[in-house]
Amino acid sequence: MEKRLIIFDLDGTLLNTLEDLTDSLNAVLAAHGLPEHSKQAVKGFVGNGVRKLIERAVPGGENNPLFETVLDENKAYYREHMDIKTAPYPGVLRALKKLKTAGYITAIASNKYDAATQGLKEKFFSETIDAALGDGVVATKKPQPEIIFELMHRLRVSDPKNVLYVGDSDVDIQTAANAGIGCISVCWGFRTAKFLKEHKAQILIDRAGKLPEAVEMYFNKISKK
């Protein structure tokens, strides 16, 4: 019998990265005399990759002459400062260990560029996550489903019924839909429960301790169809 695969978003789902994202962004913006942003504002900027983050943060977006410079410098600065305040959300590590003990394969699919994704995976999840892919490995970003298909291929899981996606945003909900797989939405991250419901969240949980049970219930329901 084919094993079952659980794919996680990274920022806002497994890790609270908001403070390091905000600090890194503002350090580069300030260095160029550009306006800085609050954590709340940056929370709304993230989810579609670093290029979109900078487009939203820099006045004039891609039309700003400093856009590419800020983008490159932000990548470099964040890579050196991405784990200062970042940490797993409460209960995440315990939930991941339970899922591994239960025999699930686990992976990360992130719109964060791949070098940072791999660095954070190795620091926080080396024993609990089997594989990770970030932006730049496949040709498209989430919500396009290619990153999901690539993980399925690498981890040798062929049946979409054996794959479940866990994320905290509308991008994640749409990614799962585009890939033809189930989705659990978490409301401890960068989007509210109200927002997720408005974007057609199917299963919603409010703390990581509920994740193993929600996963089991999902696959039990699928197996009966």
Side-chain angles (χ1 to χ4, degrees):
M1 180 179 174
E2 186 175 73
K3 284 197 171 185
R4 287 166 169 167
L5 169 62
I6 307 169
I7 302 175
F8 295 89
D9 172 54
L10 184 60
D11 298 60
T13 300
L14 296 178
L15 291 177
N16 186 349
T17 56
L18 185 59
E19 289 197 64
D20 284 335
L21 286 168
T22 302
D23 291 349
S24 296
L25 175 65
N26 284 336
V28 176
L29 291 174
H32 292 281
L34 296 171
E36 299 178 38
H37 297 282
S38 67
K39 284 192 297 183
Q40 190 63 31
V42 174
K43 183 186 287 189
F45 293 164
V46 300
N48 298 93
V50 65
R51 190 174 188 89
K52 183 62 71 172
L53 166 65
I54 302 304
E55 179 185 329
R56 291 165 174 161
V58 172
E62 291 188 347
N63 293 323
N64 192 307
L66 291 171
F67 176 82
E68 295 293 343
T69 298
V70 172
L71 175 62
D72 291 342
E73 290 183 8
N74 179 259
K75 285 183 179 181
Y77 189 96
Y78 181 73
R79 186 69 182 86
E80 296 299 320
H81 301 82
M82 66 183 183
D83 58 359
I84 295 173
K85 300 175 182 177
T86 289
Y89 285 100
V92 160
L93 291 176
R94 181 176 295 181
L96 289 175
K97 288 177 182 177
K98 286 185 177 180
L99 292 170
K100 292 298 294 178
T101 299
Y104 293 102
I105 307 170
T106 54
I108 290 169
S110 178
N111 276 344
K112 185 189 292 292
Y113 61 98
D114 191 60
T117 298
Q118 300 299 337
L120 291 171
K121 183 262 186 191
E122 286 305 310
K123 173 161 185 176
F124 294 105
F125 308 115
S126 61
E127 296 181 359
T128 52
I129 297 289
D130 297 303
L133 292 179
D135 182 36
V137 178
V138 298
T140 60
K141 295 181 177 66
K142 299 184 297 180
Q144 298 305 313
E146 282 75 18
I147 194 170
I148 303 299
F149 299 150
E150 180 64 20
L151 282 167
M152 290 173 64
H153 172 72
R154 293 189 183 195
L155 296 168
R156 300 181 181 180
V157 179
S158 59
D159 190 343
K161 290 183 179 179
N162 289 328
V163 185
L164 180 61
Y165 191 88
V166 182
D168 72 304
S169 74
D170 52 318
V171 173
D172 299 316
I173 294 169
Q174 191 60 53
T175 300
N178 289 342
I181 61 176
C183 183
I184 293 176
S185 297
V186 306
C187 56
W188 57 72
F190 296 166
R191 303 292 184 266
T192 65
K194 180 177 181 293
F195 178 91
L196 293 168
K197 289 176 182 177
E198 290 171 349
H199 287 81
K200 302 180 181 179
Q202 299 173 350
I203 304 169
L204 191 65
I205 58 174
D206 60 3
R207 57 186 177 87
K210 295 181 179 180
L211 183 59
E213 181 182 0
V215 168
E216 184 178 359
M217 289 177 63
Y218 170 80
F219 282 119
N220 285 341
K221 183 177 179 180
I222 289 294
S223 65
K224 292 177 182 178
K225 289 186 177 181

